């Protein structure tokens, strides 16, 4: 599991407990050094680790406390800047559960018709948000009926509700600490993230997508001239839209960010959202330059497993 997983969260936890040289850490099943270096580069780009390889305070420390992957943690911490914290927390919770949509073999046509009612041209993340909001808009005693009629997974949504409550409970004090730190050292930190304030907000759909970019900018990809392949902007790797995506049968947008890559016969992007490439500009330098501590000759991206990374979470689904 360690050898095939994305190691960002593992490296961040090692840094948080004071282990500086992760390349020399005594793993039970040591991953490739290249994979560890890539994880460190990703954490530097997210601002969780500085260019000297040290955990940043307070951002990196706060991110290490979140029971979600670092990209999602950064998105949540940045969400007040875009006025979309409530929706960002919902998306983060929905990404922790599997199989939100169900398609029984005998009712695939009905299921597809029901699912398309939630689809939006912005992509999969906003579609998941629509499902959650529609579910929560129903009285609790009819939610199971809503799920049955719309071919969505009642248990998955119940778990998403519980995870969302936990994330909101965790997020409020973190934002207060980050804001206090910013105010207390403003003269030294003018170039860092702007004010992180209270929950809620009235951000637009574009604000929410920009918030997604703030955590997943390294997962950006551009459509190629053949209209089917995408190429990751970070390392020109060929990727394809996952069959479960809104965009699989619709017109593919030119620029997207994705949550994860699943390898089957092809390398598929799962949970994809259309973006404006201009939103990537402010994050460009964070993943096109290399940190000072890295002296490896290559850290080219590769999917090293035939298994998807899954959506394992340290959060409980029980309230």
């Amino acid at each position: 599991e360690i050898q095939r997983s994305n190691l960002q969260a593992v490296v961040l936890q090692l840094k948080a407990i004071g282990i500086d040289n992760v390349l020399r850490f005594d793993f039970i099943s040591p991953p490739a050094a290249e994979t560890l270096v890539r994880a460190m580069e990703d954490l530097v780009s997210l601002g969780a680790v500085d260019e000297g390889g040290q955990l940043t305070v307070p951002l990196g420390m706060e991110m290490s406390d979140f029971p979600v992957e670092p990209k999602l943690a950064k998105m949540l911490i940045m969400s007040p800047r875009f006025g979309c914290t409530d929706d960002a927390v919902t998306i983060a919770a929905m990404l922790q559960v599997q199989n939100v949509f169900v398609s029984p073999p005998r009712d695939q046509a009905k299921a597809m018709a029901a699912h398309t009612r939630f689809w939006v041209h912005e992509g999969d993340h906003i579609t998941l948000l629509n499902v959650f909001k529609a579910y929560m808009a129903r009285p609790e005693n009819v939610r199971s009926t809503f799920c049955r009629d719309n071919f969505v997974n009642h248990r998955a949504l119940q778990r998403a509700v519980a995870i969302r409550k936990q994330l909101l409970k965790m997020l409020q004090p973190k934002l207060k600490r980050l804001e206090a730190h910013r105010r207390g050292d403003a003269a030294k930190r003018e170039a860092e993230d702007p004010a992180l304030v209270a929950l809620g907000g009235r951000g637009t759909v574009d604000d929410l997508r920009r918030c997604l970019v703030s955590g997943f900018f390294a997962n950006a990809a551009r459509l190629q001239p053949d209209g089917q392949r995408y190429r990751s902007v970070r390392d020109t790797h060929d990727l394809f839209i996952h069959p479960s995506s809104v965009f699989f049968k619709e017109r593919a947008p030119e620029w997207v960010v994705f949550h994860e890559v699943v390898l089957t016969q092809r390398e598929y992007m799962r949970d994809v959202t259309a973006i404006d490439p201009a939103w990537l500009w402010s994050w460009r330098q964070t993943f096109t330059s290399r940190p000072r501590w890295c002296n490896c000759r290559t850290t080219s991206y590769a999917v090293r497993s035939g298994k998807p990374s899954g959506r394992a979470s340290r959060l409980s689904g029980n309230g």
Side-chain angles (χ1 to χ4, degrees):
E1 181 69 18
I2 289 175
Q3 288 179 324
R4 75 176 181 87
S5 295
N6 185 312
L7 295 180
Q8 290 176 23
V10 173
V11 172
L12 186 59
Q13 290 303 311
L14 291 175
K15 290 288 181 181
I17 62 176
I19 297 173
D20 288 330
N21 194 337
V22 295
L23 291 175
R24 295 185 180 276
F25 183 74
D26 188 18
F27 290 97
I28 295 174
S29 299
E34 180 181 335
T35 308
L36 287 169
V37 171
R38 173 49 62 97
M40 280 289 291
E41 288 183 335
D42 289 341
L43 292 174
V44 170
S45 74
L46 290 169
V49 174
D50 63 27
E51 291 191 353
Q54 301 299 310
L55 191 70
T56 58
V57 178
L59 180 59
M61 187 60 70
E62 297 292 355
M63 287 174 63
S64 70
D65 287 339
F66 270 100
V68 294
E69 63 182 285
K71 288 185 175 72
L72 278 176
K74 179 63 178 294
M75 181 193 77
L76 291 173
I77 289 172
M78 292 295 293
S79 62
R81 173 181 177 178
F82 301 100
C84 62
T85 300
D86 286 339
D87 288 343
V89 173
T90 298
I91 288 173
M94 290 291 279
L95 290 172
Q96 304 309 303
V97 300
Q98 296 186 25
N99 304 321
V100 172
F101 294 107
V102 294
S103 297
R106 295 183 179 180
D107 292 312
Q108 288 189 354
K110 290 182 179 179
M112 179 59 69
H115 296 164
T116 56
R117 291 197 290 268
F118 300 106
W119 288 4
V120 289
H121 69 270
E122 289 87 357
D124 300 325
H125 295 93
I126 314 301
T127 295
L128 290 174
L129 179 64
N130 283 346
V131 173
F132 186 90
K133 287 187 172 182
Y135 175 79
M136 294 300 292
R138 270 64 181 180
E140 194 167 349
N141 63 337
V142 300
R143 287 176 183 171
S144 61
T145 302
F146 165 81
C147 291
R148 183 173 62 252
D149 293 344
N150 290 279
F151 297 90
V152 292
N153 189 331
H154 189 207
R155 286 189 177 182
L157 286 168
Q158 286 179 313
R159 185 165 183 262
V161 170
I163 291 172
R164 185 179 185 278
K165 289 179 180 177
Q166 293 180 57
L167 287 174
L168 281 171
K169 186 177 180 180
M170 296 178 65
L171 188 58
Q172 182 71 75
K174 290 182 182 299
L175 295 180
K176 288 181 178 178
R177 288 195 294 269
L178 285 163
E179 174 64 4
H181 189 277
R182 187 195 68 85
R183 289 179 176 175
D185 201 12
K188 295 180 181 179
R189 302 174 64 83
E190 289 180 350
E192 293 204 357
D193 295 338
L196 300 173
V197 291
L199 299 179
R202 297 180 179 275
T204 65
V205 172
D206 280 357
D207 290 326
L208 182 54
R209 291 191 292 156
R210 288 170 61 210
C211 183
L212 281 166
V213 171
S214 74
F216 290 89
F217 52 86
N219 287 9
R222 186 179 188 180
L223 186 66
Q224 297 304 291
D226 61 14
Q228 295 183 344
R229 290 178 302 119
Y230 279 82
R231 185 159 291 172
S232 61
V233 297
R234 181 170 182 174
D235 39 32
T236 63
H237 202 66
D238 285 342
L239 301 166
F240 296 84
I241 296 289
H242 193 273
S244 65
S245 174
V246 168
F247 297 128
F248 186 70
K249 293 184 178 180
E250 301 293 326
R251 181 179 178 181
E254 183 178 2
W255 287 88
V256 298
V257 291
F258 58 91
H259 179 223
E260 62 184 359
V261 171
V262 177
L263 176 60
T264 54
Q265 290 89 358
R266 290 177 169 179
E267 293 173 25
Y268 289 105
M269 301 178 291
R270 187 159 68 176
D271 300 318
V272 179
T273 286
I275 64 166
D276 184 331
W279 300 339
L280 293 170
W281 185 254
S282 61
W283 309 103
R284 178 176 176 270
Q285 291 300 323
T286 64
F287 63 98
T288 57
S289 59
R290 307 195 67 190
R292 294 192 307 268
W293 53 265
C294 181
N295 58 6
C296 297
R297 293 184 178 179
T298 178
T299 54
S300 60
Y301 170 76
V303 177
R304 299 185 176 276
S305 169
K307 301 178 182 179
S309 62
R311 303 177 189 228
S313 171
R314 288 155 46 202
L315 286 165
S316 166
N318 301 319

